[in-house]
Amino acid sequence: MKMIIALGSNLHQEQNLLKAKELLGHSFDGITFSEPEWTEPIGIKSDRFLNCIGTFEAELSRTAVEKILKRTEQAMGDSHQNHQLGKVLIDIDLIQYGNETIRKIAWL
């Protein structure tokens, strides 16, 4: 089943995006990423975001994929508290699960 995820960071952006890609590569065989794109923050006051899209195929439940994404964020030290302060070390969202659109990407 094809899956699409979105990654973004507004703190040490290049370093955090590279680390997230590395960690996700250990969890999802064959994952590929788009070129990173700088965007202005939406809805918060912060530095610019660096974003990219990841695409992979896996036979996992939606819940299992979302748990891996959350674990990856936590492994990088990100938290809900950071986000409330406008600090996004890494944000990883499931955008598409098979044919089901889970969330729209605000920065596209």
Side-chain angles (χ1 to χ4, degrees):
M1 181 172 321
K2 182 177 180 177
M3 299 190 216
I4 301 173
I5 58 174
L7 295 80
S9 175
N10 71 353
L11 191 66
H12 306 293
Q13 296 94 322
E14 292 164 331
Q15 177 184 346
N16 284 331
L17 217 54
L18 282 173
K19 181 66 175 170
K21 289 169 153 183
E22 178 186 330
L23 292 173
L24 291 165
H26 294 302
S27 297
F28 304 115
D29 287 337
I31 190 168
T32 59
F33 297 96
S34 68
E35 287 296 315
E37 181 178 330
W38 289 99
T39 61
E40 295 301 318
I42 299 171
I44 65 170
K45 268 193 165 179
S46 79
D47 198 2
R48 294 186 309 159
F49 277 79
L50 188 59
N51 304 286
C52 73
I53 300 294
T55 308
F56 60 95
E57 300 259 343
E59 294 302 319
L60 297 168
S61 70
R62 177 178 165 183
T63 302
V65 172
E66 289 172 332
K67 283 182 181 178
I68 292 168
L69 301 181
K70 183 56 69 180
R71 259 197 333 257
T72 303
E73 290 174 342
Q74 291 169 343
M76 291 186 60
D78 208 8
S79 67
H80 182 67
Q81 292 80 12
N82 283 344
H83 288 216
Q84 289 181 320
L85 297 172
K87 299 176 183 178
V88 182
L89 279 73
I90 194 69
D91 185 35
I92 310 171
D93 295 314
L94 182 60
I95 301 303
Q96 186 172 328
Y97 179 78
N99 293 326
E100 181 183 0
T101 299
I102 307 301
R103 162 178 284 166
K104 301 282 185 198
I105 303 172
W107 49 269
L108 281 180

